[in-house]
Amino acid sequence: MVSNGEETRKSSCGRYNSALVQVILIGLVCFCCPGMFNALSGMGGGGQVNHTASNNSLTALYTTFAIFGILGGAIYNILGPHLTLLAGCSTYVLYTSSLLYYNHHHHQAFAIVAGALLGVGAGLLWAAQGAIITSYPPTNRKGTYISIFWTIFNMGGVIGGLIPFILNYHRSEAASVNDGTYIGFMCFMSVGTLLSFAILPPCKVVRDDGTRCTNMLYSNVSTECVELLKLFFNWKVLLMLPAAWSSNFFYPYQFNDVNGALFNLRTRGFNSVFYWGAQMVGSVGIGYVMDFSFERRRVRGLVGVVLVAVLGTVIWAGGLANQLRYSSNDLPQKLDFRDSGSHFAGPFILYFSFGLLDAMFQSLVYWVIGALADDSQILSRYSGFFKGMQSAGAAVAWQVDEHKVSFMSQLIVNWGLTTISYPLLFVLVMLGVKDQGQ
């Protein structure tokens, strides 16, 4: 005979209102929208030969993202998931269409305005996403559910990387990507916008044990304003700040100054497939550590921080060894994926490792956020603050790259920022994560 608990677990896998199904659905939404956006930006310069329009649009994007990332949790608590996600997803299509327009007219104003609007939308989408993946899963499986989300989401980057690789296989290095590349991205993003209607509010989601995520659906403006101000004085949130700031700060360096500087057009698309594929591997690996490595939840958190810190140090050291070979004033001949020997293999493995570390670092932070509370409204504010600060760092980083700061200086700053975050995350896990509810 099958016990009631086993029956509940089996039936939950197919229930539309189960936490697992909802996490998979938000993963598919992010597969289509930010996943495709990641593939697009990962090519360096948004697929354009001249990176100026892309860098300026991304600066506008992350500036508004920083504001609406922080506000996003409050907006999500007021509007609920449907309106929040619909508003967020639709801006991805607009942004990609601006790059299609730029392909023909080379006027960057549209791209900058679209980037600013995408920052608003991305702030809303990621606040909703953060609330869902940190509050919907059961307490003892948050790492697993986060890794499931991250795997599906980054499959978007893998598929998205294949689009420019296939469609631009025979194009010259002096050309931007073709129109079909942008149109392909826009089709996926449109599907993601429609999928956002499938996400249920937390009060309708039932976990395997029969509990609901929260009994509250809507908040109000005055409550959210007060709670938002409290975040700036919350010691838990402040300890997350360096990790948040640094976790997207390295993208301009990795995308433009490694992938864009060292590889030709088609190989950048090829590399993107493996960069985002590495993220899938990294998220699964850290998810296992955070849920199954040790019995006590706090110990799992501490081990996760140490593991990511050691791996991060090794990978950035490899980045330093690679960077000593070239500079912005002395670029080597562009590499092609068909090149034999270590000339291609070394930089390729490094770029793959950057993707691996990115997923492990961000999945670790999301696990820590999810371990600080269980209520959807609280976690939406924490997640929103994290994405806001993350985007503020990215806005600065894209302008650092646009102002031609040396590659070596960018590497050292990136390595230093991530290194500072590890001991603070260690303290946050030690003091803020409880072993109850394992």
Side-chain angles (χ1 to χ4, degrees):
M1 294 182 65
V2 180
S3 68
N4 291 336
E6 290 175 341
E7 289 177 351
T8 301
R9 281 190 292 273
K10 289 180 179 180
S11 63
S12 69
C13 294
R15 282 191 292 107
Y16 176 59
N17 68 335
S18 72
L20 178 60
V21 169
Q22 290 298 305
V23 168
I24 290 173
L25 286 172
I26 192 63
L28 290 172
V29 170
C30 290
F31 166 97
C32 292
C33 293
M36 293 296 155
F37 170 83
N38 283 345
L40 182 61
S41 59
M43 291 187 296
Q48 297 293 318
V49 174
N50 188 333
H51 294 181
T52 299
S54 175
N55 281 359
N56 288 335
S57 68
L58 289 171
T59 300
L61 187 163
Y62 286 109
T63 300
T64 54
F65 195 168
I67 298 169
F68 280 86
I70 296 173
L71 297 175
I75 295 172
Y76 170 80
N77 290 338
I78 295 170
L79 298 181
H82 287 156
L83 291 176
T84 305
L85 288 170
L86 177 63
C89 291
S90 60
T91 58
Y92 284 85
V93 183
L94 177 65
Y95 176 76
T96 307
S97 69
S98 74
L99 293 178
L100 176 61
Y101 173 85
Y102 186 82
N103 237 13
H104 294 274
H105 301 285
H106 298 286
H107 299 151
Q108 62 173 305
F110 181 21
I112 294 173
V113 172
L117 291 174
L118 176 55
V120 176
L124 299 180
L125 185 151
W126 283 103
Q129 172 269 346
I132 290 168
I133 69 167
T134 56
S135 67
Y136 284 22
T139 301
N140 62 340
R141 290 295 178 269
K142 291 194 176 187
T144 302
Y145 280 52
I146 290 171
S147 68
I148 290 172
F149 162 81
W150 213 260
T151 300
I152 297 171
F153 157 50
N154 283 300
M155 180 61 74
V158 172
I159 302 299
L162 288 173
I163 294 174
F165 174 65
I166 295 171
L167 295 182
N168 300 277
Y169 189 85
H170 297 293
R171 289 175 72 82
S172 72
E173 179 58 28
S176 299
V177 298
N178 60 18
D179 291 354
T181 302
Y182 293 122
I183 293 171
F185 284 130
M186 290 168 65
C187 290
F188 274 103
M189 291 170 176
S190 298
V191 172
T193 303
L194 295 176
L195 272 176
S196 67
F197 288 104
I199 304 299
L200 294 176
C203 63
K204 294 184 178 180
V205 177
V206 182
R207 300 189 182 99
D208 294 1
D209 58 4
T211 60
R212 295 181 182 272
C213 296
T214 180
N215 293 323
M216 298 176 65
L217 175 58
Y218 296 111
S219 183
N220 58 72
V221 174
S222 60
T223 297
E224 292 303 322
C225 287
V226 171
E227 294 300 324
L228 181 63
L229 290 174
K230 288 181 180 179
L231 291 178
F232 292 91
F233 302 95
N234 186 321
W235 65 271
K236 297 177 183 178
V237 170
L238 295 178
L239 285 175
M240 285 193 301
L241 186 56
W245 184 273
S246 64
S247 58
N248 273 186
F249 200 90
F250 45 68
Y251 280 164
Y253 173 77
Q254 293 177 1
F255 294 164
N256 287 353
D257 305 335
V258 178
N259 198 28
L262 296 180
F263 303 96
N264 62 23
L265 180 62
R266 67 182 182 183
T267 304
R268 292 201 293 271
F270 176 84
N271 290 347
S272 289
V273 173
F274 287 91
Y275 182 93
W276 302 112
Q279 299 235 359
M280 297 165 63
V281 176
S283 63
V284 171
I286 196 65
Y288 179 85
V289 172
M290 305 313 289
D291 277 353
F292 301 107
S293 58
F294 293 92
E295 182 178 355
R296 295 175 58 194
R297 182 167 65 169
R298 183 184 293 135
V299 173
R300 296 197 300 268
L302 297 175
V303 169
V305 173
V306 172
L307 175 64
V308 174
V310 171
L311 185 64
T313 301
V314 172
I315 291 173
W316 280 112
L320 176 61
N322 177 72
Q323 189 59 70
L324 291 172
R325 297 172 46 247
Y326 70 100
S327 69
S328 55
N329 298 319
D330 183 24
L331 292 175
Q333 182 178 352
K334 299 285 186 179
L335 297 171
D336 187 82
F337 75 98
R338 295 188 302 180
D339 294 338
S340 60
S342 60
H343 292 293
F344 172 76
F348 171 77
I349 293 172
L350 173 66
Y351 196 63
F352 178 92
S353 300
F354 279 148
L356 187 78
L357 178 62
D358 181 21
M360 296 183 72
F361 186 77
Q362 293 204 55
S363 295
L364 169 67
V365 176
Y366 271 117
W367 182 90
V368 173
I369 292 173
L372 297 177
D374 289 314
D375 184 82
S376 175
Q377 292 193 340
I378 294 173
L379 291 175
S380 70
R381 298 178 192 121
Y382 285 176
S383 300
F385 188 91
F386 169 71
K387 294 303 294 188
M389 292 297 104
Q390 180 187 69
S391 302
V396 173
W398 284 107
Q399 277 305 295
V400 167
D401 190 66
E402 177 60 24
H403 283 76
K404 312 303 180 186
V405 174
S406 71
F407 294 169
M408 181 62 74
S409 297
Q410 291 189 54
L411 181 146
I412 292 172
V413 170
N414 281 310
W415 191 356
L417 285 173
T418 53
T419 301
I420 291 171
S421 68
Y422 298 132
L424 298 180
L425 287 174
F426 192 92
V427 173
L428 180 57
V429 173
M430 180 67 74
L431 302 179
V433 175
K434 297 180 180 180
D435 285 325
Q436 287 83 357
Q438 298 178 80

